[in-house]
Amino acid sequence: MEGKTFSHLLQGKVAIVTGGNSGIGKAIVEYLAELGAQVVIDYRSHPETTEEMEREIGSYGGCSFGVQADVSKLDDLQRLIDSAVAQYGRIDVMVNNAGVETRTSVLDTTPEQYDKVLNVNLRGVFFATQYAAKQMIAQGGGGRIINISSVHEDWPMPGNTAYCLAKGGVRMLTRTAALELAPHGINIVNVGPGAVATPINDSTMNDPELMAKLNAAIPMGRMARPEEIAKVVGFLASDAASYITATTIFADGGIMHSSPGL
Ligand code: BGC
């Protein structure tokens, strides 16, 4: 594959990536595979995209396979973990990436929208953490749980309330569960992206005026490419990040600290 370099940084490691066939998740799958990990691609729709990814990864000697599972359903989550273990024998890295948002305010969010956002973005992460950690403890040797959170775990986004609520929950889940699981050698870290060029931001990207406003708010002047988030995950999955836990690494082009300087 042109431009791809196969390295061995994560060789022998097994990683699961939820929401792995689009957006940031797709970039994470591709990067972890390039680093030599065996990657389980969790996805909800578009099996053909997952199959295409498997083929592409296989073409340079990488290893991956797809499992269709909805992270908001606990049976699906358990099946995802079990399939990874059945296929590759263990789990070293769990990347909780799947996420949805409704871009609705506290005034106009329906109970259905609320449940959907909280079930995928928080309940799914909570139980994926629990199930992955149980497997890591049973197999021994520790592990890494990496949650793709958002700048909005800590920074309000008016008009996206349920999303902020879920991400704020993931912030505390990581801090608390990391303390509980540290004795087992399991590190838990959030990655907090800012605005990333992925389908979740389609409505902004399709509106030139909104895009100009967004770019102006980002000190670096542009959205992130999904690969720029995937590289942080690759680092956190590697031995180089052995002492990082219970915290968030933000990769946001400075947006959380942008200021008009008034
Ligand atoms: C949200 C996007 C938002 C971005 C920056 C992300 O977490 O999904 O809707 O544009 O944060 O504010």
Side-chain angles (χ1 to χ4, degrees), residues 84-136:
V85 176
Q87 180 82 10
Y88 293 136
R90 53 185 295 113
I91 302 167
D92 300 287
V93 182
M94 179 79 211
V95 183
N96 291 311
N97 164 79
V100 292
E101 66 183 21
T102 54
R103 299 234 179 158
T104 51
S105 78
V106 69
L107 291 178
D108 54 25
T109 300
T110 64
E112 292 71 31
Q113 287 174 318
Y114 177 95
D115 285 346
K116 183 169 187 208
V117 171
L118 271 289
N119 282 343
V120 173
N121 296 11
L122 184 55
R123 187 171 181 265
V125 178
F126 186 100
F127 286 101
T129 298
Q130 182 187 96
Y131 295 173
K134 283 186 175 169
Q135 171 59 31
M136 288 167 181

Coordinates of all heavy atoms in Angstrom, one line a residue, residues 84-136:
A84 N -13.4 -11.4 19.9 CA -11.9 -11.0 19.9 C -11.1 -12.1 20.5 O -10.0 -12.5 20.0 CB -11.7 -9.7 20.6
V85 N -11.6 -12.6 21.7 CA -10.8 -13.6 22.4 C -10.8 -14.9 21.6 O -9.7 -15.6 21.5 CB -11.4 -13.8 23.8 CG1 -10.6 -14.9 24.5 CG2 -11.2 -12.5 24.6
A86 N -11.9 -15.2 21.0 CA -12.0 -16.5 20.2 C -11.0 -16.4 19.0 O -10.4 -17.4 18.7 CB -13.4 -16.7 19.7
Q87 N -11.0 -15.2 18.4 CA -10.1 -15.1 17.2 C -8.7 -14.9 17.5 O -7.8 -15.5 16.8 CB -10.6 -13.8 16.4 CG -9.9 -13.5 15.1 CD -10.4 -14.4 13.9 OE1 -11.4 -15.1 14.1 NE2 -9.7 -14.4 12.8
Y88 N -8.3 -14.0 18.5 CA -6.9 -13.7 18.7 C -6.4 -14.1 20.1 O -5.3 -13.8 20.4 CB -6.8 -12.2 18.5 CG -7.0 -11.6 17.1 CD1 -7.7 -10.5 16.9 CD2 -6.4 -12.3 16.0 CE1 -7.9 -10.0 15.6 CE2 -6.6 -11.8 14.7 CZ -7.3 -10.7 14.5 OH -7.5 -10.2 13.3
G89 N -7.3 -14.7 20.9 CA -6.8 -15.2 22.2 C -6.7 -14.3 23.4 O -6.6 -14.8 24.5
R90 N -6.8 -13.0 23.2 CA -6.7 -12.1 24.3 C -7.1 -10.7 23.9 O -7.4 -10.4 22.7 CB -5.3 -12.0 24.8 CG -4.2 -11.8 23.8 CD -2.8 -11.8 24.3 NE -2.5 -10.8 25.3 CZ -2.3 -11.1 26.5 NH1 -2.3 -12.3 27.0 NH2 -2.0 -10.1 27.4
I91 N -7.2 -9.7 24.8 CA -7.4 -8.3 24.5 C -6.3 -7.5 25.3 O -6.3 -7.6 26.5 CB -8.8 -7.8 24.9 CG1 -9.9 -8.7 24.3 CG2 -9.0 -6.4 24.6 CD1 -11.2 -8.4 24.9
D92 N -5.6 -6.7 24.6 CA -4.6 -5.9 25.2 C -5.0 -4.4 25.2 O -4.7 -3.7 26.2 CB -3.2 -6.0 24.5 CG -2.7 -7.4 24.5 OD1 -2.3 -7.8 25.6 OD2 -2.8 -8.0 23.5
V93 N -5.7 -4.0 24.2 CA -6.1 -2.6 24.1 C -7.6 -2.5 23.7 O -8.0 -3.1 22.7 CB -5.3 -1.9 23.0 CG1 -5.6 -0.4 22.8 CG2 -3.8 -2.1 23.2
M94 N -8.4 -1.8 24.5 CA -9.8 -1.6 24.2 C -9.9 -0.1 23.9 O -9.7 0.8 24.7 CB -10.6 -1.9 25.4 CG -12.1 -1.7 25.2 SD -12.8 -3.1 24.3 CE -14.2 -2.2 23.4
V95 N -10.3 0.2 22.6 CA -10.5 1.6 22.3 C -12.0 1.9 22.1 O -12.7 1.4 21.2 CB -9.8 2.0 20.9 CG1 -10.0 3.5 20.6 CG2 -8.4 1.6 21.0
N96 N -12.6 2.6 23.1 CA -14.0 3.0 23.0 C -14.2 4.3 22.3 O -14.0 5.4 22.8 CB -14.5 3.1 24.5 CG -14.6 1.8 25.2 OD1 -15.1 0.8 24.7 ND2 -14.0 1.8 26.4
N97 N -14.5 4.1 21.0 CA -14.5 5.3 20.1 C -15.9 5.6 19.6 O -16.2 6.7 19.3 CB -13.6 5.0 18.9 CG -13.9 5.9 17.7 OD1 -13.5 7.1 17.7 ND2 -14.7 5.4 16.8
A98 N -16.8 4.6 19.5 CA -18.1 4.8 18.9 C -18.8 6.0 19.6 O -18.8 6.1 20.9 CB -19.0 3.6 19.1
G99 N -19.4 6.9 18.9 CA -20.1 8.0 19.5 C -21.1 8.6 18.5 O -21.0 8.5 17.3
V100 N -22.2 9.2 19.1 CA -23.2 9.9 18.3 C -23.5 11.2 19.0 O -23.2 11.4 20.2 CB -24.5 9.1 18.3 CG1 -24.3 7.8 17.4 CG2 -25.0 8.7 19.6
E101 N -24.1 12.1 18.3 CA -24.6 13.4 18.9 C -25.8 13.8 18.2 O -26.1 13.4 17.0 CB -23.5 14.4 18.9 CG -23.1 14.9 17.5 CD -22.0 16.0 17.5 OE1 -21.2 16.0 18.5 OE2 -21.9 16.7 16.5
T102 N -26.6 14.6 18.9 CA -27.9 15.1 18.3 C -27.9 16.6 18.0 O -28.8 17.0 17.2 CB -29.1 14.8 19.2 OG1 -28.8 15.3 20.5 CG2 -29.3 13.3 19.3
R103 N -26.9 17.3 18.5 CA -26.9 18.7 18.4 C -28.3 19.3 18.7 O -28.9 20.0 17.9 CB -26.5 19.1 17.0 CG -25.1 18.7 16.6 CD -24.2 19.8 16.2 NE -22.9 19.3 15.9 CZ -22.1 19.9 15.1 NH1 -22.4 21.1 14.5 NH2 -20.9 19.5 14.9
T104 N -28.7 19.0 19.9 CA -30.0 19.6 20.4 C -29.7 20.2 21.8 O -28.8 19.7 22.5 CB -31.1 18.5 20.5 OG1 -30.5 17.4 21.3 CG2 -31.5 18.0 19.2
S105 N -30.5 21.2 22.2 CA -30.3 21.9 23.5 C -31.1 21.2 24.6 O -31.9 20.3 24.3 CB -30.8 23.3 23.3 OG -32.2 23.3 23.4
V106 N -30.9 21.6 25.8 CA -31.7 21.1 26.9 C -33.2 21.3 26.7 O -34.0 20.5 27.1 CB -31.2 21.7 28.3 CG1 -31.6 23.2 28.4 CG2 -31.8 20.9 29.4
L107 N -33.6 22.3 26.0 CA -35.0 22.6 25.7 C -35.6 21.7 24.7 O -36.8 21.4 24.8 CB -35.2 24.1 25.3 CG -34.9 25.1 26.4 CD1 -35.1 26.5 25.8 CD2 -35.8 24.9 27.6
D108 N -34.8 21.3 23.7 CA -35.5 20.5 22.6 C -35.0 19.0 22.5 O -35.4 18.4 21.5 CB -35.4 21.3 21.3 CG -33.9 21.6 20.9 OD1 -33.0 20.9 21.4 OD2 -33.7 22.6 20.2
T109 N -34.3 18.5 23.4 CA -33.8 17.1 23.4 C -35.0 16.2 23.8 O -35.5 16.4 24.9 CB -32.6 16.9 24.3 OG1 -31.5 17.7 23.8 CG2 -32.2 15.4 24.2
T110 N -35.3 15.2 23.0 CA -36.4 14.3 23.4 C -35.8 13.2 24.2 O -34.6 12.9 24.2 CB -37.0 13.7 22.1 OG1 -36.0 12.9 21.5 CG2 -37.6 14.7 21.1
P111 N -36.7 12.5 25.0 CA -36.2 11.4 25.8 C -35.5 10.3 24.9 O -34.5 9.7 25.3 CB -37.5 10.8 26.4 CG -38.4 11.9 26.4 CD -38.1 12.8 25.2
E112 N -36.0 10.1 23.7 CA -35.4 9.2 22.8 C -34.0 9.6 22.4 O -33.0 8.8 22.4 CB -36.2 9.0 21.5 CG -37.6 8.3 21.7 CD -38.6 9.2 22.4 OE1 -38.5 10.5 22.3 OE2 -39.4 8.6 23.2
Q113 N -33.8 10.9 22.1 CA -32.5 11.4 21.7 C -31.5 11.3 22.9 O -30.4 10.9 22.8 CB -32.6 12.9 21.3 CG -33.2 13.0 19.9 CD -33.4 14.5 19.6 OE1 -33.9 15.3 20.4 NE2 -33.1 14.9 18.3
Y114 N -32.1 11.7 24.1 CA -31.3 11.6 25.3 C -30.8 10.1 25.5 O -29.6 9.9 25.8 CB -32.1 12.0 26.5 CG -31.4 11.9 27.8 CD1 -30.8 13.0 28.4 CD2 -31.4 10.7 28.6 CE1 -30.1 12.9 29.6 CE2 -30.8 10.6 29.8 CZ -30.1 11.7 30.3 OH -29.5 11.6 31.5
D115 N -31.7 9.2 25.5 CA -31.3 7.8 25.7 C -30.3 7.3 24.7 O -29.3 6.6 25.0 CB -32.6 6.9 25.6 CG -33.4 7.0 26.8 OD1 -33.0 7.6 27.8 OD2 -34.6 6.6 26.8
K116 N -30.5 7.7 23.4 CA -29.5 7.2 22.4 C -28.1 7.7 22.7 O -27.1 7.0 22.7 CB -30.0 7.7 21.0 CG -29.2 7.2 19.9 CD -29.7 7.5 18.6 CE -28.8 6.8 17.5 NZ -28.8 7.4 16.3
V117 N -28.0 9.0 22.9 CA -26.7 9.6 23.2 C -26.0 9.0 24.4 O -24.9 8.7 24.4 CB -26.8 11.2 23.2 CG1 -25.5 11.8 23.7 CG2 -27.2 11.7 21.9
L118 N -26.8 8.9 25.5 CA -26.2 8.4 26.7 C -25.9 6.9 26.6 O -24.9 6.5 27.2 CB -27.2 8.7 27.9 CG -27.0 10.0 28.7 CD1 -25.8 10.0 29.5 CD2 -27.1 11.3 27.8
N119 N -26.8 6.2 25.9 CA -26.5 4.7 25.8 C -25.3 4.4 25.0 O -24.5 3.5 25.4 CB -27.7 4.0 25.2 CG -28.9 3.9 26.2 OD1 -28.6 4.0 27.4 ND2 -30.1 3.6 25.7
V120 N -25.1 5.1 23.9 CA -23.9 4.8 23.1 C -22.6 5.4 23.7 O -21.6 4.8 23.9 CB -24.1 5.4 21.7 CG1 -22.8 5.3 20.9 CG2 -25.2 4.7 20.9
N121 N -22.7 6.7 24.1 CA -21.5 7.5 24.5 C -21.1 7.2 26.0 O -19.9 7.5 26.3 CB -21.7 9.0 24.3 CG -22.0 9.4 22.9 OD1 -22.2 8.5 22.0 ND2 -22.0 10.7 22.6
L122 N -22.0 6.8 26.8 CA -21.6 6.6 28.2 C -21.8 5.2 28.7 O -20.9 4.5 29.2 CB -22.3 7.6 29.1 CG -21.9 7.6 30.6 CD1 -20.4 7.8 30.8 CD2 -22.7 8.7 31.4
R123 N -23.1 4.7 28.6 CA -23.4 3.3 29.1 C -22.5 2.3 28.3 O -21.9 1.4 28.9 CB -24.8 3.1 28.9 CG -25.3 1.8 29.5 CD -26.9 1.8 29.4 NE -27.5 0.6 30.0 CZ -27.8 -0.5 29.3 NH1 -27.6 -0.5 28.0 NH2 -28.4 -1.5 29.8
G124 N -22.4 2.5 27.0 CA -21.6 1.6 26.2 C -20.1 1.6 26.6 O -19.5 0.6 26.7
V125 N -19.6 2.8 26.9 CA -18.2 2.9 27.3 C -18.0 2.3 28.7 O -17.0 1.6 29.0 CB -17.7 4.4 27.3 CG1 -16.3 4.5 27.8 CG2 -17.9 5.0 25.9
F126 N -19.0 2.5 29.6 CA -18.9 1.9 30.9 C -18.8 0.4 30.9 O -17.9 -0.2 31.5 CB -20.1 2.4 31.7 CG -20.1 2.0 33.2 CD1 -19.7 2.9 34.2 CD2 -20.4 0.7 33.6 CE1 -19.7 2.5 35.5 CE2 -20.4 0.3 34.9 CZ -20.0 1.2 35.9
F127 N -19.7 -0.2 30.1 CA -19.8 -1.7 30.1 C -18.7 -2.3 29.2 O -18.2 -3.4 29.5 CB -21.2 -2.2 29.8 CG -22.1 -2.0 31.0 CD1 -23.0 -0.9 31.1 CD2 -22.0 -2.8 32.1 CE1 -23.8 -0.7 32.2 CE2 -22.7 -2.6 33.3 CZ -23.6 -1.5 33.3
A128 N -18.3 -1.6 28.2 CA -17.1 -2.1 27.4 C -15.9 -2.1 28.3 O -15.1 -3.0 28.3 CB -16.9 -1.2 26.2
T129 N -15.8 -1.1 29.1 CA -14.7 -1.0 30.1 C -14.7 -2.1 31.1 O -13.7 -2.8 31.3 CB -14.7 0.4 30.9 OG1 -14.6 1.4 29.9 CG2 -13.6 0.5 31.9
Q130 N -15.9 -2.4 31.6 CA -16.1 -3.5 32.6 C -15.8 -4.8 31.9 O -15.0 -5.6 32.5 CB -17.5 -3.5 33.1 CG -17.8 -4.6 34.1 CD -19.3 -4.6 34.5 OE1 -20.0 -5.5 34.0 NE2 -19.7 -3.8 35.4
Y131 N -16.3 -5.1 30.7 CA -16.1 -6.4 30.1 C -14.7 -6.6 29.7 O -14.1 -7.7 29.8 CB -17.1 -6.6 28.9 CG -18.5 -6.6 29.2 CD1 -19.5 -6.6 28.2 CD2 -19.0 -6.6 30.5 CE1 -20.8 -6.6 28.4 CE2 -20.4 -6.6 30.8 CZ -21.3 -6.6 29.7 OH -22.6 -6.6 30.0
A132 N -14.1 -5.5 29.1 CA -12.7 -5.6 28.7 C -11.8 -5.8 29.9 O -10.8 -6.7 29.8 CB -12.3 -4.4 27.9
A133 N -12.0 -5.1 30.9 CA -11.2 -5.2 32.1 C -11.3 -6.6 32.7 O -10.3 -7.2 33.2 CB -11.6 -4.1 33.2
K134 N -12.5 -7.2 32.8 CA -12.6 -8.5 33.3 C -11.8 -9.5 32.5 O -11.1 -10.4 33.1 CB -14.1 -9.0 33.3 CG -14.8 -8.3 34.5 CD -16.3 -8.8 34.6 CE -16.9 -8.3 35.8 NZ -18.4 -8.5 35.9
Q135 N -11.8 -9.4 31.2 CA -11.0 -10.2 30.3 C -9.5 -10.0 30.6 O -8.7 -10.9 30.7 CB -11.3 -10.0 28.9 CG -10.4 -10.7 27.9 CD -10.4 -12.2 28.0 OE1 -11.4 -12.8 28.4 NE2 -9.2 -12.8 27.7
M136 N -9.1 -8.7 30.7 CA -7.7 -8.4 30.9 C -7.2 -9.0 32.3 O -6.1 -9.5 32.4 CB -7.4 -6.9 30.9 CG -7.6 -6.3 29.5 SD -7.7 -4.5 29.6 CE -7.8 -4.1 27.8

